[in-house]
Amino acid sequence: MEPALIGVRLASAAIGPLLKKLLVSDGPGAGLTPRSEKIRLSSLVSFRGERRTLTEKDVRKLAGTLVGWSVEGPGERSFPADETEAVTDALAASLLALGDLDMDDVQAVRLGHTALARRLRATAPAPDGLSTDSARYLESLTEWACLHILEFFTQRSTFVARTLVEQSRGQGELIAKMDEVIRRVPRADGRDAEFERRYLAHLAKKHGRLTIYGVDLRDAPEKWPLDVAYLSLEATGGPGASRRPGDTRSVPPRTGPRNEDTGTAAPAPDRAEALLASWNYQADGRADRILAHHDRVLLRGAAGSGKTTLIQWLAVSATHEDPSDDMAYLRGRIPYVLPLRALTRHGERLPAPDRFLSAVDCPLSPPDGWTDRVLAAGRGLVLVDGIDEIPEAERDRARRWLRDLLDVYDGNRWLVTSRPTAVGDDWLTSDGFAELTLTPMSAAEVTTFVQRWHRAAGPEAEPYEQPLLDALRTTADVARLATSPLMCGLICALHHGRRGFLPRGRKALYDAALAMLLSRRDRERDMGTPYGVELGDAPQIQLIQRLAYWLTLNGRTTMDRAHAESVVREAVPAITEAAGYDPGAVFTHLLHRSGLLREPTADTVDFVHRTFQDYLAAKALVDRWDIGVLVRHAADDQWEDVIRMAVGHARPRECAEIFEELLKAVDEAPDRRTRLRILVVAATALDHATEVEPAIRQRILARTAAVIPPHGPEEARELASVGRAVLRLLPGPEGLDDEAAWGVTTTATHITDDAALPYLARFADHTFLRVRSQLTWGWSRFDTARYAEEIIARLDPTHLDFTIGSDEQAAEFVRLGLRPARLDLRAGLTREGVAMLRKTLEGAQSLQVMGELIGLLSPFLARNELRDFTLRGHPEGELAFLHYLTRLTSLNLGALVRLLETDWRVVAAMDRLRDLVTHARNIGSIPESLRLPQVRTLSLGHANTSLPLDDVARAFPGLRSLVLLGRSHTPLDLAPLASLPRLTSVAADGTKVTGTEHLGPTVTIIT
């Protein structure tokens, strides 16, 4: 039956008063006063609340009358007569659902009668067993009833006033949004858009191909397309750095003395620390997706780990008009690739935005002010490569340069790369940067790289692929070397070039690689002598290592071409084999044919990779026997690899002298951190030595053992870099206090060798939460099944967040029957992995989850018992899933989660919510009329963001504790909090506060 026919049979004059019984009258006004702010449909119906005039029985009677009248008259019935009672019950249920809708009358009218009817049917229990005709009839009758209900709403005295207010607010929001769109859109004259098209095409061409060192076969290309050569690695933010899992994020916050007035415990400093740790915690994930989760990232990685290649990949991905789904977050971004080694090659000041392009020798000239407009609109992708490649004395200046840019330009995405020890922990944390680390290549990633290498190298390389894969699985020495793309490329090339045989050890590997690049490269390609110069390996190395020596001694990775040529010219007469050639021709030959040097710009020279510079600088230092230079730089992160490689070049007596001098430097070190760094360099150099006296080895290891257990995660990482040798020095668990046990397990979880697993298993029964958190985080670095059986299955689950970051780990949870109450789900899970965890999820009480997983989890969130929920990163789409989390007492919305007005209304409806964590910028989107009196503890991230404390005091009248997460350079006035009658404590993370005299004497200030 059509709605129009129903309307004919139900005369409005007769049926209007009947339906009007569903509603109650309300007084005049716009509904803005505190008394009226919570008037929802549930308050406007006459069968709910204090003004109840109808019972549910009366509503069913009303529905029966509607059904009866609508079927009266001539013509065939629209549904079977024996289903009349069922139709009546279903209509009554739909009408009763009016009281369950979370909206007011203005919102209902805006929705429209059809959508309102659809919402009612979705809210009401689904009718059971109705025929198709009855279902269609019920749909039409409900729509017709909703049409009358909305008509009544528009006649209410408050409706017009409320509508005008809503329109005014909507127009204000629309104007603000349009202003933002205008600000972000390129200039109307089209010059910006046209330049951006040319600039992106230039970047795609410049960075779209990748040199894979060692691919020098006759038919192999010198460069591969980036999309073929790029291998996505993993970045981790686990407990190797401060304020990450295993630090304080999982520690149940301890509380201070109980407040007798409020009956609640005031947070002690430990609680504020735990909240801050949770706020700053960064999860694992694919390296090329880190900027999807974090606006600002400091990414650490060892030499050859793929940092620069990642920057190329991000820049090229941003140039695509239609990027892949994984990289869609870069759509519309304008990349700026800023290698610091090039920007400071002459000691220049780091460039202002208008010089970003000229500083990297981009041949294009942008319209005046273009870069400023891009960054001001928040459209930039700023990729700063190589903090470690500028002298240590210049790094603070680089940080100030970054801070100046960050203060002016908000909304862009920033990536800064560095070697692991070049800058300390939290170097950029106060500026809102997540600190992540590129992990060594896993066995699966090494396999993928080897397969791609052989496929790209051509048919002649195919027979060598499987033998190399077998060698990587069975030969520990080879597998230990294959931890980065650079080393994997060299291993592949040498394995092929030597017909299936590989040199043993890192030094032998580099020597063979140099021989391949220096001479075999041209010989196998039939290049002849294009510059009239033919030199053997030894004289070329002697000349090139002079350049490496100068660069390393001066803390540089780039030098002027003219200076480089002068260094070679001065050295040529002393090299017998080269003395007969023109020095200029020798330099040109080395630059273009050695395979070790390149010209990043027309007037500069550098090494194709920093590793080769370090290796040859070490050889030059040993040849010159500049041992004093080595020791003076023993604590300099730029010299760590140089010292290790110098030990590899040295003869036994020279090697012993280097170690003796390093131990003297340890004794003279001014502080523990410097002593530890030198000791670690010495200990890691032991494996590079061809021969070392046992007594010296024992002395070094004994001195290293003296700084065990490590003090904090940074020292733990340093010790782990020694490798499996340090496992023999780690004590416990017997005789260790809790902090020491955490330190040694942190060290062992960073030693990516299965030899660490038996040691870690000894701590599986440990009671300290930080130790257990460290162990669950370390799972991803070891064999999944073995680690699960020996460690994960034995962990005490009390207060412990179990980390699951892959389908393989999910399968082990199911196989072992693990059902912990607290879960931490990472981005590596797929739909299949989430499905495997169905029963585990349904029983979980606490859940931490990456935003990109929300779409997979929504079906399970509707059937959960969650009390505690943490969201890391904003999910695609809105936060509609929060509707399912009605039982939450604690909600943590990470730094990147943006809340709209509609989201705040959902949060406000969580009447059990007591603890809320969010970013300060979200406070501005709370509707003026909205209150969240149930929230007792509010934690706000605010690094370099203003804190709207007036809005906080208004929206959270029941607040008892405020925790401010993130340091601010400007003092914070707490006076607006004086209006909060129940406030007992304010915790600020190093931010200076004022206005405390306005607060009550019982308010504790924790700084």
Side-chain angles (χ1 to χ4, degrees):
M1 183 181 295
E2 294 298 324
L5 181 55
I6 294 176
V8 170
R9 292 182 174 179
L10 293 174
S12 295
I15 204 65
L18 183 66
L19 281 175
K20 197 168 185 178
K21 292 181 180 180
L22 287 171
L23 307 173
V24 296
S25 300
D26 197 29
L32 298 179
T33 63
R35 176 183 172 275
S36 304
E37 66 178 353
K38 292 185 178 180
I39 293 181
R40 316 297 281 168
L41 291 192
S42 58
S43 302
L44 300 179
V45 295
S46 60
F47 48 85
R48 295 285 291 272
E50 297 178 358
R51 303 169 70 178
R52 182 191 299 259
T53 58
L54 292 179
T55 65
E56 292 187 12
K57 183 178 179 181
D58 294 330
V59 175
R60 190 193 183 284
K61 183 178 179 181
L62 184 152
T65 302
L66 287 176
V67 172
W69 288 0
S70 68
V71 298
E72 289 181 355
E76 184 180 355
R77 288 177 61 94
S78 298
F79 62 90
D82 59 355
E83 294 188 11
T84 300
E85 186 173 354
V87 169
T88 300
D89 290 340
L91 178 60
S94 295
L95 295 176
L96 287 168
L98 275 171
D100 296 325
L101 295 186
D102 186 24
M103 63 178 69
D104 57 26
D105 54 351
V106 175
Q107 293 168 327
V109 172
R110 187 185 301 131
L111 197 63
H113 73 284
T114 302
L116 179 61
R118 189 162 51 247
R119 188 76 66 87
L120 287 176
R121 291 193 298 272
T123 304
D128 188 24
L130 289 182
S131 65
T132 302
D133 288 341
S134 294
R136 288 176 179 171
Y137 166 82
L138 180 63
E139 181 177 336
S140 298
L141 183 57
T142 307
E143 289 182 8
W144 186 88
C146 286
L147 186 62
H148 275 273
I149 291 169
L150 296 185
E151 172 69 13
F152 297 146
F153 286 159
T154 62
Q155 295 172 5
R156 295 179 67 241
S157 59
T158 61
F159 180 80
V160 174
R162 284 284 317 275
T163 302
L164 290 174
V165 171
E166 292 289 336
Q167 286 178 348
S168 298
R169 288 175 178 169
Q171 288 173 354
E173 292 177 2
L174 180 60
I175 291 170
K177 290 176 181 178
M178 288 300 297
D179 287 344
E180 181 67 14
V181 169
I182 291 170
R183 188 175 70 87
R184 288 175 176 263
V185 170
R187 293 185 351 181
D189 60 15
R191 283 182 292 165
D192 281 7
E194 172 59 22
F195 175 76
E196 286 174 14
R197 183 188 63 77
R198 296 174 58 219
Y199 175 64
L200 293 176
H202 163 73
L203 288 180
K205 186 174 182 179
K206 178 178 180 179
H207 297 293
R209 299 185 72 80
L210 181 68
T211 300
I212 301 295
Y213 310 112
V215 182
D216 53 9
L217 311 180
R218 180 187 303 273
D219 298 322
E222 290 189 13
K223 291 190 174 184
W224 296 358
L226 185 61
D227 56 358
V228 173
Y230 177 72
L231 179 67
S232 178
L233 300 178
E234 296 293 308
T236 179
S242 64
R243 293 172 177 165
R244 295 192 175 105
D247 187 350
T248 54
R249 78 177 179 95
S250 299
V251 180
R254 294 196 292 266
T255 56
R258 196 165 189 81
N259 186 297
E260 299 300 332
D261 296 330
T262 63
T264 62
D270 293 48
R271 173 172 171 78
E273 182 187 5
L275 286 166
L276 184 63
S278 175
W279 181 256
N280 286 292
Y281 160 66
Q282 317 299 342
D284 301 349
R286 273 179 40 188
D288 54 16
R289 293 275 298 165
I290 54 178
L291 288 177
H293 309 306
H294 313 291
D295 290 336
R296 306 173 182 181
V297 174
L298 171 62
L299 181 67
R300 303 173 191 266
S305 61
K307 302 185 297 294
T308 300
T309 303
L310 172 64
I311 280 182
Q312 286 185 244
W313 178 255
L314 293 173
V316 171
S317 297
T319 67
H320 297 158
E321 291 186 7
D322 187 22
S324 64
D325 291 343
D326 286 347
M327 307 304 291
Y329 73 95
L330 295 177
R331 184 181 286 110
R333 295 280 170 181
I334 303 298
Y336 299 94
V337 180
L338 304 174
L340 288 181
R341 60 184 174 276
L343 300 182
T344 61
R345 56 180 174 260
H346 302 302
E348 308 98 324
R349 294 184 60 184
L350 289 163
D354 62 350
R355 291 186 51 246
F356 276 3
L357 270 58
S358 61
V360 295
D361 296 307
C362 175
L364 303 177
S365 298
D368 290 343
W370 169 73
T371 302
D372 176 71
R373 288 190 293 278
V374 169
L375 296 178
R379 299 169 56 224
L381 175 65
V382 186
L383 306 169
V384 181
D385 191 21
I387 284 289
D388 58 288
E389 295 188 0
I390 59 175
E392 189 169 4
E394 297 180 13
R395 293 174 193 168
D396 280 340
R397 182 160 60 94
R399 178 163 53 181
R400 290 194 298 272
W401 169 73
L402 265 174
R403 284 176 171 167
D404 289 343
L405 293 173
L406 293 165
D407 288 343
V408 176
Y409 300 112
D410 191 22
N412 301 282
R413 296 187 188 268
W414 307 77
L415 176 66
V416 180
T417 69
S418 171
R419 287 197 188 187
T421 58
V423 293
D425 279 348
D426 297 336
W427 194 67
L428 289 173
T429 298
S430 63
D431 300 293
F433 276 74
E435 295 197 6
L436 305 176
T437 301
L438 276 176
T439 62
M441 294 173 71
S442 66
E445 289 164 344
V446 170
T447 297
T448 300
F449 186 98
V450 170
Q451 292 169 341
R452 289 186 182 181
W453 190 98
H454 286 82
R455 187 162 58 249
E460 64 174 292
E462 183 179 353
Y464 298 96
E465 177 181 329
Q466 192 56 49
L468 178 54
L469 291 174
D470 293 340
L472 288 167
R473 279 192 293 268
T474 59
T475 308
D477 289 342
V478 177
R480 277 198 294 270
L481 291 175
T483 58
S484 69
L486 172 69
M487 297 303 294
C488 280
L490 292 179
I491 288 170
C492 289
L494 290 169
H495 182 265
H496 176 273
R498 292 174 166 233
R499 300 297 185 263
F501 294 96
L502 282 172
R504 296 179 64 85
R506 190 176 297 269
K507 180 181 182 299
L509 187 69
Y510 281 128
D511 286 340
L514 289 175
M516 179 176 60
L517 292 171
L518 287 168
S519 57
R520 290 186 50 208
R521 187 172 186 268
D522 281 353
R523 187 169 63 247
E524 294 188 1
R525 291 173 180 265
D526 295 330
M527 291 294 295
T529 55
Y531 301 101
V533 175
E534 186 171 6
L535 296 174
D537 296 349
Q540 291 188 80
I541 289 174
Q542 285 292 323
L543 292 168
I544 293 174
Q545 72 185 34
R546 306 289 181 95
L547 302 177
Y549 180 84
W550 185 93
L551 287 168
T552 301
L553 199 61
N554 288 277
R556 300 289 176 185
T557 58
T558 303
M559 63 192 303
D560 290 343
R561 179 190 168 115
H563 188 188
E565 185 170 355
S566 69
V567 170
V568 172
R569 282 181 176 275
E570 291 175 6
V572 163
I575 307 298
T576 304
E577 193 173 331
Y581 293 111
D582 173 61
V586 172
F587 174 75
T588 303
H589 169 81
L590 296 176
L591 182 60
H592 295 295
R593 301 314 314 160
S594 70
L596 290 172
L597 302 174
R598 64 176 183 176
E599 293 178 281
T601 67
D603 63 344
T604 60
V605 173
D606 67 2
F607 280 80
V608 293
H609 199 280
R610 173 70 179 273
T611 297
F612 293 119
Q613 176 185 320
D614 291 344
Y615 183 78
L616 291 176
K619 185 176 184 303
L621 284 159
V622 172
D623 287 350
R624 291 167 171 259
W625 198 232
D626 284 341
I627 188 172
V629 174
L630 276 177
V631 175
R632 283 198 301 272
H633 291 88
D636 187 337
D637 64 275
Q638 288 192 326
W639 284 71
E640 289 178 359
D641 280 347
V642 177
I643 294 171
R644 296 184 188 105
M645 293 175 178
V647 168
H649 286 295
R651 291 169 293 189
R653 184 174 298 176
E654 296 167 336
C655 184
E657 186 173 346
I658 292 175
F659 283 127
E660 291 287 355
E661 292 297 321
L662 288 175
L663 289 174
K664 289 181 183 178
V666 171
D667 294 332
E668 297 169 1
D671 52 60
R672 175 186 169 91
R673 180 175 181 177
T674 305
R675 287 195 298 274
L676 176 63
R677 175 166 285 187
I678 298 173
L679 277 171
V680 166
V681 170
T684 53
L686 287 172
D687 287 341
H688 290 71
T690 304
E691 179 182 332
V692 60
E693 294 180 12
I696 292 177
R697 180 184 296 274
Q698 287 304 118
R699 285 176 59 199
I700 291 173
L701 292 178
R703 293 296 300 275
T704 305
V707 293
I708 294 173
H711 294 178
E714 186 175 0
E715 286 194 7
R717 276 205 314 273
E718 293 255 17
L719 283 171
S721 67
V722 175
R724 60 189 298 167
V726 83
L727 290 172
R728 300 194 300 271
L729 309 178
L730 297 179
E734 300 80 10
L736 295 180
D737 61 28
D738 287 347
E739 292 295 328
W742 174 49
V744 294
T745 51
T746 299
T747 300
T749 52
H750 280 80
I751 300 172
T752 54
D753 190 306
D754 281 345
L757 209 155
Y759 176 78
L760 291 169
R762 292 161 57 188
F763 290 82
D765 299 319
H766 207 282
T767 58
F768 190 42
L769 182 56
R770 292 187 185 182
V771 171
R772 290 182 283 130
S773 294
Q774 188 70 35
L775 291 174
T776 185
W777 174 84
W779 190 6
S780 62
R781 292 187 164 219
F782 299 91
D783 179 78
T784 304
R786 183 181 171 194
Y787 197 97
E789 291 176 354
E790 298 185 17
I791 297 175
I792 298 297
R794 293 169 51 196
L795 295 175
D796 176 4
T798 306
H799 300 303
L800 178 62
D801 296 314
F802 281 81
T803 302
I804 305 178
S806 68
D807 290 356
E808 292 77 12
Q809 290 180 344
E812 288 303 313
F813 254 75
V814 174
R815 183 176 69 85
L816 296 172
L818 302 179
R819 300 272 185 89
R822 306 176 64 91
L823 293 173
D824 181 2
L825 305 185
R826 304 291 180 85
L829 283 167
T830 69
R831 187 177 303 277
E832 290 72 21
V834 170
M836 283 188 278
L837 293 171
R838 177 177 56 84
K839 293 183 178 179
T840 305
L841 287 169
E842 290 175 359
Q845 295 183 2
S846 175
L847 183 62
Q848 301 187 47
V849 60
M850 296 296 293
E852 62 197 72
L853 294 178
I854 288 297
L856 306 180
L857 288 169
S858 290
F860 304 103
L861 295 178
R863 304 189 298 274
N864 74 87
E865 299 293 327
L866 285 177
R867 299 294 186 272
D868 183 345
F869 184 82
T870 298
L871 179 63
R872 311 279 183 199
H874 198 92
E876 294 184 5
E878 299 181 355
L879 302 176
F881 71 93
L882 290 175
H883 283 281
Y884 298 128
L885 307 179
T886 57
R887 302 184 180 183
L888 288 185
T889 59
S890 177
L891 176 61
N892 185 333
L893 300 172
L896 299 183
V897 179
R898 303 296 180 101
L899 292 170
L900 304 178
E901 179 178 324
T902 53
D903 302 321
W904 273 115
R905 295 191 185 277
V906 175
V907 174
M910 298 176 180
D911 55 6
R912 303 184 187 182
L913 188 65
R914 297 295 179 267
D915 194 339
L916 176 64
V917 184
T918 187
H919 197 282
R921 62 171 170 263
N922 287 324
I923 299 298
S925 61
I926 301 178
E928 290 187 10
S929 61
L930 196 66
R931 302 290 184 271
L932 294 90
Q934 73 274 34
V935 174
R936 302 290 187 267
T937 299
L938 177 66
S939 305
L940 294 177
H942 73 102
N944 299 319
T945 303
S946 60
L947 271 167
L949 294 185
D950 289 309
D951 292 335
V952 169
R954 168 184 56 78
F956 300 92
L959 200 63
R960 301 179 183 181
S961 175
L962 177 65
V963 181
L964 306 177
L965 309 173
R967 293 175 175 87
S968 176
H969 301 304
T970 57
L972 180 63
D973 184 9
L974 300 182
L977 301 179
S979 62
L980 294 173
R982 299 183 179 181
L983 187 68
T984 59
S985 71
V986 178
D989 179 36
T991 298
K992 182 178 180 181
V993 296
T994 63
T996 56
E997 67 276 8
H998 299 284
L999 304 181
T1002 61
V1003 178
T1004 302
I1005 308 297
I1006 304 169
T1007 57

